[in-house]
Amino acid sequence: MAYTHVLIAGAGPTGLVLALWLTRLGVKVRIIDKVSEPGTTSRALAVQARTLELYHQIGLDDATIAGGVKIQNINLWVKGRRAATVPLTGAGENLTPYSFALAFPQDAHERLLIERLGTLGVRVERRTELLRFTQHDRGVTATLRRPDGAEETCEAEYLAGCDGASSVVRAQLGIGFPGGTYTGLFYVADVAGTGAPRNKDLHADIEDADFILLFPLEGDRHWRLVGTVHDLPAGEHGALTFDDVKGKAMEHLRLNVEKVNWFSTYRVHHRVALRFRDRRAFLLGDAAHIHSPVGGQGMNTGIGDAVNLAWKLAQTLKGASSEKILDTYEPERIAFARRLVATTDRGFVLVTSRSALARLIRTRIVPLVLPLLFRLRAFRELLFRTVSQTQVNYRRSALSEGAAGKVRGGDRLPWVPIDSGKDNFEPLTAIQWQVHVYGEAQPALKDACAELRIPLHVFAWITRMRRAGLQKDALYLVRPDGYVGLADADANAEGLRRYFAAHQLTS
């Protein structure tokens, strides 16, 4: 009988990132997937700034950026002409080290994660299927089917269901997955081509409800084409080929497709599981929530789930906190998932609606108004914060307390570049609880940090810290995932001790 700390079912980006973070934190993992090899076709492209910040903590940001393409502009096309160009560069330059939009296909993304996991001595067990499992006081007993067809029993202390929209883990837990399926069929194609579209720009044909998006990929004349298809005769969905949809791409975007590397179709759902946890089993990624592709949020949200759960599992398994900390995973992530599904649903309806009003908004108002709005710094920053997920917070979490400056417990730690060429995110690579003070730390606080064995990082005060929302000489207790647990304007040492005692934490 095999044993592991955490059994991860599903080796998509969510499962792979969970395995990477847990391994980095010294937790023994076993990651399985019933398919024989990683996917070679993918829909997910966007890697958001918050994901890159989390990747920085495990040294994966540079490799991810190197494999992708920084998108410079969004071009809106109507009636075969470029109706508007919206610049994207620099929209979040004061908010994050990653103030750009990055296109990095999920299949290449997965290969990078698998390779990095391999350097840590962990491999994905392919053609290995989770058949069933039971839970008991000390863990989970899972029955697996190996590649040779034989069954195997695996004991794990926790089970992570990262096994997609048709999750076996969710089904066996009996957790509902309410929502629905959008009408219409969607397609994605990997193509090589030339023509009017500029490389390193995102192009969107917004003339019809059959919208078309053209993403630049690494390599000369390499594109990813995403679109919708309506009004196909009954029974023809399964037989659809690129020839059936290429006309609009070529006519509306003036793209000359020279080669089709692959083509696939799919349907889009919008659902959120009723619960993300049942005792020692957890749901993450598409097993927990699926939604429209508007805004490029899906894969990044699953990665956020993985990081949120990873450090909490590691703390529990190492005895650095009680199991109570695991109770915060579901409320922190399910609240964001519900907001995201509602938001992307509204955006998706606008993009795909065939009503006269929706078409007027798409073809006339958006090309006219959007470039004007992007001239306003406040609008650019708001949109960047929302899409980049740097605005995600856990203010209502049981782990979130206090406020100092504009920062409240549960907020992502604001990013501040330091004059020396470094920034205040560098200490986050330790992936541990730590105290930040911007200004001077009181002797009593230094003593409390030493007593609790919490690293104390003191940064000399500069004016841009105030602009970032930080308060001089305040205490910010930062969680291992870069979110603020406790913010205290008075930097009270006893308040720090009380926080650790109340949440049963040790360093």
Side-chain angles (χ1 to χ4, degrees), residues 360-377:
L360 175 66
I361 292 172
R362 282 197 304 268
T363 61
R364 298 291 183 87
I365 297 176
V366 170
L368 178 65
V369 173
L370 196 59
L372 297 176
L373 289 174
F374 260 77
R375 294 179 185 176
L376 304 175
R377 178 178 174 180

Side-chain angles (χ1 to χ4, degrees), residues 66-84:
V69 174
K70 295 180 182 179
I71 298 176
Q72 298 175 350
N73 304 284
I74 298 177
N75 294 281
L76 305 179
W77 293 70
V78 178
K79 296 186 182 301
R81 66 176 184 87
R82 191 180 289 109

